[in-house]
Amino acid sequence: MNKSDRLRIAIQKSGRLSEKSFDLLRGCGFEFDWRRNHLLCACTNFPLDLMLVRDDDIAEFVADGVCELGVVGFNMLEETLLGRGDKDREGIQILERLGFGGCRLSIAIPEDQAFDGPQSLDGKSIATSYPATLQNYLEENNIQAEVIHISGSVEIAPALQIADAICDLVSTGSTLRSNGLKEVQTILKSESVLIQTSKPFSEEKQNVISRLEQRLKGVMRAAKTKYIMMNAPKDALDKIKAIMPGLEEPSVIPLGANGEKIAIHAVAHEPDFWSTMEKLKEVGASSILVVPIEKIFG
Ligand code: PRP
Ligand code: ZN
């Protein structure tokens, strides 16, 4: 495979998504020739190059075909595409929602001010680093407000009397609280997504993308899945299956000479294993073991 056949994926160099993006790729078994302050970082065991860039640039690069893939917050993706006049997202395709970096783009105002719905924003000024998304929201909701574009520390704009309100990312809400602001309206919910360019690329690259996607899905599935083992009276099997609807075809192994007791081994998809284990104990299960699964494939 020559160099031009190597797939490129852009991820955030440093910031809210960088560590998790990198961890996810490493979880897929990709090893990187890590060089500090290099834009391009080669994968040593897969035809893949990592582009380490600012998050504002990721969707731009993918839409332009500078790289085929990118990991970016949906908020940033929307902002970039709206900024490019691509409201229908024709320049990119979302391949996968990655389930991390959850946050929302919200409007916030000083705590002591009243808010009676979006129309309260009429005639106000709103500072944001997401001008295109905010403008789009205002137009769709018929609100006449002034958008003030600032690139960082948006949360101090009201105190500095630069703007009446702000529109910024909120995750825990602590930035708003410590700046005397309250969240009044969410305009976009976001999480990180894997995106692909709509520009054409070789079939070889398409094959590499499919392999990467399959591994990604495996890692993400494994994160929500555990391997569970327990002993139980033979007649408890149906009750156990009822407690764990997410149980995949369990292996049932008779224990001892009379087979009154069984061992059950299975892959389980459960949101909360603690409460599940309590219920299992109630129907007679014992020696319950829940072990993490690193990878699931096929
Ligand atoms: C966002 C946002 C706030 C903070 C909110 O910044 O601009 O500063 O996160 O999070 P919280 O609700 O948990 O306090 P981000 O981390 O994306 O960094 P940036 O503003 O430097 O891009
Ligand atoms: Zn910030």
Side-chain angles (χ1 to χ4, degrees):
M1 188 175 271
N2 70 45
K3 195 146 181 91
S4 63
D5 282 331
R6 290 175 69 85
L7 189 76
R8 281 183 176 175
I9 181 167
I11 69 168
Q12 189 182 22
K13 186 182 168 72
S14 70
R16 64 164 58 228
L17 301 181
S18 30
E19 207 180 306
K20 291 211 164 119
S21 308
F22 204 57
D23 286 351
L24 186 65
L25 293 172
R26 262 199 298 233
C28 292
F30 305 137
E31 283 161 19
F32 296 96
D33 180 15
W34 181 251
R35 311 236 173 128
R36 183 177 277 274
N37 291 325
H38 278 219
L39 170 72
L40 223 57
C41 175
C43 178
T44 54
N45 59 355
F46 203 73
L48 177 73
D49 287 327
L50 211 58
M51 278 181 75
L52 299 161
V53 296
R54 276 160 29 104
D55 66 344
D56 327 29
D57 295 332
I58 296 173
E60 206 83 58
F61 283 155
V62 176
D64 287 339
V66 174
C67 50
E68 292 78 26
L69 299 181
V71 174
V72 68
F74 182 69
N75 57 299
M76 201 50 97
L77 174 64
E78 275 296 271
E79 178 64 22
T80 305
L81 293 180
L82 286 169
R84 290 168 69 103
D86 184 2
K87 217 174 163 174
D88 299 324
R89 290 191 215 125
E90 281 166 2
I92 67 107
Q93 211 185 315
I94 296 179
L95 291 185
E96 218 62 67
R97 296 158 53 128
L98 299 173
F100 63 85
C103 59
R104 53 199 187 269
L105 187 63
S106 291
I107 293 174
I109 61 171
E111 254 159 15
D112 54 12
Q113 278 177 29
F115 185 81
D116 311 302
Q119 296 307 328
S120 319
L121 299 165
D122 257 325
K124 297 279 164 67
S125 56
I126 310 171
T128 189
S129 24
Y130 295 87
T133 313
L134 176 60
Q135 193 66 54
N136 183 59
Y137 169 82
L138 295 173
E139 279 165 19
E140 282 183 352
N141 291 277
N142 232 332
I143 302 163
Q144 315 296 323
E146 185 194 356
V147 175
I148 297 175
H149 184 187
I150 31 183
S151 51
S153 303
V154 170
E155 58 275 3
I156 60 169
L160 297 178
Q161 294 177 333
I162 295 170
D164 302 309
I166 67 161
C167 172
D168 198 14
L169 286 189
V170 183
S171 156
T172 61
S174 79
T175 303
L176 292 186
R177 275 193 296 280
S178 58
N179 285 279
L181 301 169
K182 63 179 175 190
E183 188 178 359
V184 290
Q185 184 76 40
T186 296
I187 71 171
L188 186 83
K189 288 211 171 105
S190 181
E191 71 177 300
S192 53
V193 288
L194 176 68
I195 55 172
Q196 180 186 303
T197 187
S198 299
K199 293 258 192 299
F201 48 81
S202 68
E203 209 181 309
E204 276 96 340
K205 283 188 178 174
Q206 183 54 62
N207 292 338
V208 177
I209 291 179
S210 306
R211 286 173 63 200
L212 182 144
E213 253 198 293
Q214 209 171 22
R215 290 194 191 189
L216 257 177
K217 282 189 180 141
V219 175
M220 292 194 303
R221 236 177 98 200
K224 287 183 237 151
T225 310
K226 306 265 189 248
Y227 196 74
I228 189 159
M229 294 176 272
M230 73 195 97
N231 295 342
K234 196 173 142 207
D235 56 16
L237 184 60
D238 287 339
K239 288 184 210 153
I240 289 170
K241 283 186 179 167
I243 292 169
M244 297 205 293
L247 205 63
E248 282 178 22
E249 270 316 290
S251 307
V252 178
I253 308 144
L255 294 177
N258 57 16
E260 279 308 298
K261 260 193 136 182
I262 50 173
I264 301 168
H265 293 189
V267 171
H269 312 274
E270 289 289 315
D272 172 11
F273 274 90
W274 279 114
S275 64
T276 304
M277 290 203 305
E278 286 162 6
K279 288 182 206 143
L280 291 172
K281 198 163 171 283
E282 278 168 26
V283 300
S286 59
S287 306
I288 308 167
L289 286 183
V290 175
V291 293
I293 294 175
E294 199 185 79
K295 296 177 182 69
I296 300 177
F297 203 68

